[in-house]
Amino acid sequence: MNPKLELFSQGEEVVTGQTVDTNAAWLAQVCVNLGFMITRQTAVGDKLEDLVTLLNEIAERSDCCICTGGLGPTSDDLTAQAVAQAFSLPLEFDPVAFEQIERFFLKRKRAMPEVNRKQAYLPKGAQRIDNEWGTAPGFTMRYNDCWFVFLPGVPSEMRQLFDSFVRDHLGKQFSLKPKQLVSLKTVGIGESDIQTSVASIKIPETVQLGFRAGVDHVETKLLFPHDYDQVLMTELIDAFAANIGDFVFSIDRPGHASGDLVNVVDRLMQRQQQKAVFIETLSQGLLSAKCVDCNWLIEGAYYPDIQQLAGEFGLKENDKDLLAVAIAEKIKHQKKVDLVLVQFHQSDRSMIRDKNIAIEISTALLTPHGMLQVKHMISGPAQRKQNQSAVLALDTLRRYLQLHH
C-alpha cells in the first residue's frame, strides 16, 4: 500500500475563505503523482490548542504530513510554537536561519524588523529547509512514525522549497510506487457524451476511470497501477482515443505533459512553419489573447460585426458564410500569410447576454488546402459564450493542423 499522507494548512484566512488554498491542491496533485495516498486535507485557524491537537492526531495515523503556513514573524504565526508544544521539543535559535533572514533584508537595503527574529527559532532536532525566496525557513522532522514537513504559506515560496528540497527527500524517506496517470484532453464534447462513447470498452478492475471538466477542456483520466503492463496500457489508451475520436487534442502520459490547447496548436504551427491572422467577433480578442506568446500569430483584430469589416474591404454580401470567405481571401492576399481565421455569428447583444439562449458561432479557416467552415452551438452567460467561441475557433485550427501535419 502507498504511504499515507496528510495535508495541513494553517491560517485563519484559509479557514474563513479569504484566501483560496491553492497550496493544498497543488501539493495533493504532486504527491499523488509521486506515489502517496492522500488521506486528509485539513485547515486550522490561528488557535494554538487546535494546532497542537491536530499535530498529535496526525502523528498517530499518518506516514507523512506536509503543513503550509504559520511560519511568518507575526503573532498569528504559530506553527513552530505548536510543534514545540505538541512534541515536547523546545524552540532553539538557529544562527544560520537568522543570518539568512538578515541577508534577505540587506539585499533589499532594508532594516530587519525585530519581529523577524522569531522566524529563526526552530523545534529542537528539526532539519532546516533554506528559503532563498523569502524570510520563512521551512523545517522537517520525524515524530513517532510520521515524517513532518513544514513550509511557508506563500505559494511561490512553498513550491520553490518543495522542488529544491522536499521532493528528493520524500523519495529517500519512503518507498514510493506511483500510479500511472493518463489524461485524454478533449474539446467540443461533454463528460456524459464521452462516457457514452467509451461505455463499450472493458476496463480492468485495477484501472480507475474518472473525468474532470475544466473551463477550456475536459479530461478523461485513466489511473493505472505502478506495475501495469505497458502493452496493455497502450491498447486501452488507444481504444479510448479511437472511441472518443478527433475531439481528443492531446494525451498526457506519465513523464510527458502535452499542455493545453494553445500549447498543442503552438507546437503544430511552429513545426509546420505557418503564419496566421485572426479576425474575431464574439470572442472579442480573447482568441488572440490566449495566443499572446505565439510568434506565428501575425495579427489579431476584433470587430463587433463581420459586416463592419466587410465595409472596409468594399464587400457587399448578404450571405455571411460567403462574406467570411471573401474577407479571408482579401486578408490572405494583403498579409501574405498561410492561414486566415474569421469568426462570426448572427446574434444580437441581448441573445449573447441571455444565458438561456444558445447561439450559433461560425469559424471560417482559409488554408492552402482550401476553405474549412465549422459551426457550433454555444450557450450560457456572455463570458462563457466568449470563451467557448475562442476555444472552439482555436480547436478548428488544431484539427486542420493535425490532419495535415
Side-chain angles (χ1 to χ4, degrees):
M1 180 182 291
N2 290 346
K4 296 180 290 185
L5 182 144
E6 290 195 37
L7 298 173
F8 166 22
S9 306
Q10 196 252 299
E12 206 70 36
E13 67 280 2
V14 174
V15 174
T16 58
Q18 298 174 54
T19 298
V20 177
D21 191 3
T22 58
N23 285 338
W26 187 85
L27 285 167
Q29 185 173 1
V30 170
C31 291
V32 166
N33 290 341
L34 287 174
F36 285 96
M37 177 173 61
I38 308 297
T39 56
R40 283 182 177 86
Q41 292 186 21
T42 310
V44 176
D46 304 323
K47 296 179 178 62
L48 184 61
E49 182 180 344
D50 292 346
L51 294 169
V52 170
T53 299
L54 180 60
L55 286 167
N56 279 308
E57 290 174 354
I58 292 173
E60 293 296 324
R61 69 191 179 208
S62 290
D63 302 308
C64 183
C65 171
I66 301 179
C67 173
T68 58
L71 300 181
T74 56
S75 59
D76 58 345
D77 291 305
L78 302 171
T79 297
Q81 184 179 346
V83 172
Q85 185 170 321
F87 303 154
S88 300
L89 299 170
L91 291 174
E92 295 184 339
F93 181 73
D94 186 324
V96 176
F98 185 71
E99 189 274 331
Q100 291 174 350
I101 297 167
E102 279 191 314
R103 188 166 66 245
F104 178 89
F105 285 96
L106 284 172
K107 284 183 178 180
R108 289 154 181 79
K109 298 181 179 180
R110 294 166 51 197
M112 187 195 80
E114 183 58 29
V115 294
N116 285 89
R117 185 181 181 89
K118 168 188 174 182
Q119 296 175 290
Y121 284 86
L122 304 178
K124 183 178 181 179
Q127 180 180 2
R128 184 188 65 254
I129 305 175
D130 295 333
N131 184 354
E132 298 178 11
W133 303 272
T135 64
F139 62 93
T140 180
M141 60 185 304
R142 181 173 291 278
Y143 185 76
N144 286 351
D145 291 325
C146 184
W147 194 60
F148 285 87
V149 180
F150 299 92
L151 300 174
V154 178
S156 58
E157 294 180 36
M158 182 278 293
R159 295 186 187 191
Q160 292 282 9
L161 267 64
F162 186 92
D163 287 333
S164 66
F165 178 88
V166 178
R167 190 187 296 270
D168 286 344
H169 278 68
L170 287 173
K172 295 174 183 177
Q173 293 286 335
F174 300 96
S175 176
L176 299 173
K177 296 181 179 179
K179 292 185 177 182
Q180 303 181 76
L181 177 64
V182 174
S183 295
L184 293 88
K185 299 180 179 179
T186 55
V187 166
I189 184 171
E191 293 172 277
S192 56
D193 288 330
I194 294 174
Q195 185 158 350
T196 300
S197 70
V198 300
S200 62
I201 301 174
K202 185 177 181 181
I203 304 173
E205 291 183 1
T206 56
V207 179
Q208 294 176 258
L209 170 64
F211 303 94
R212 177 181 175 272
V215 175
D216 288 356
H217 64 261
V218 175
E219 293 184 43
T220 302
K221 295 176 174 288
L222 293 167
L223 189 62
F224 296 88
H226 174 74
D227 56 353
Y228 199 83
D229 183 271
Q230 293 297 305
V231 173
L232 296 178
M233 179 190 293
T234 300
E235 289 177 355
L236 188 59
I237 296 168
D238 290 346
F240 267 73
N243 279 34
I244 299 172
D246 59 5
F247 294 106
V248 177
F249 68 83
S250 69
I251 301 175
D252 283 357
R253 303 171 188 266
H256 175 72
S258 58
D260 60 14
L261 182 59
V262 175
N263 298 136
V264 171
V265 171
D266 185 38
R267 287 194 294 271
L268 289 167
M269 288 291 287
Q270 292 192 55
R271 193 177 303 147
Q272 298 180 31
Q273 298 183 325
Q274 303 213 53
K275 303 293 183 182
V277 169
F278 293 161
I279 301 298
E280 305 181 52
T281 54
L282 181 56
S283 57
Q284 297 190 2
L286 184 58
L287 173 58
S288 299
K290 287 179 181 289
C291 305
V292 65
D293 291 332
C294 302
N295 58 15
W296 46 262
L297 180 58
I298 301 304
E299 185 177 313
Y302 158 64
Y303 288 84
D305 188 276
I306 193 174
Q307 289 176 323
Q308 187 179 112
L309 175 60
E312 294 188 13
F313 287 105
L315 297 171
K316 294 181 179 180
E317 176 62 62
N318 292 326
D319 188 317
K320 289 194 175 185
D321 288 325
L322 296 177
L323 192 57
V325 173
I327 289 172
E329 289 175 342
K330 287 272 190 180
I331 293 173
K332 184 175 182 179
H333 177 74
Q334 285 185 355
K335 304 295 181 180
K336 309 296 184 186
V337 292
D338 309 288
L339 303 164
V340 180
L341 187 151
V342 180
Q343 173 202 85
F344 57 100
H345 61 96
Q346 302 185 49
S347 310
D348 59 33
R349 291 194 179 276
S350 64
M351 296 171 67
I352 295 171
R353 286 193 293 265
D354 193 331
K355 65 180 182 180
N356 297 313
I357 295 179
I359 64 175
E360 185 179 73
I361 184 75
S362 301
T363 302
L365 180 64
L366 182 60
T367 79
H369 298 88
M371 177 64 73
L372 173 65
Q373 290 189 293
V374 181
K375 299 180 187 294
H376 294 95
M377 296 300 296
I378 57 177
S379 58
Q383 286 187 327
R384 184 181 187 278
K385 287 171 179 169
Q386 179 194 24
N387 188 69
Q388 283 296 101
S389 64
V391 170
L392 291 169
L394 189 62
D395 191 56
T396 299
L397 177 57
R398 183 272 303 179
R399 287 167 179 260
Y400 164 76
L401 292 169
Q402 287 183 336
L403 184 64
H404 294 90
H405 74 282

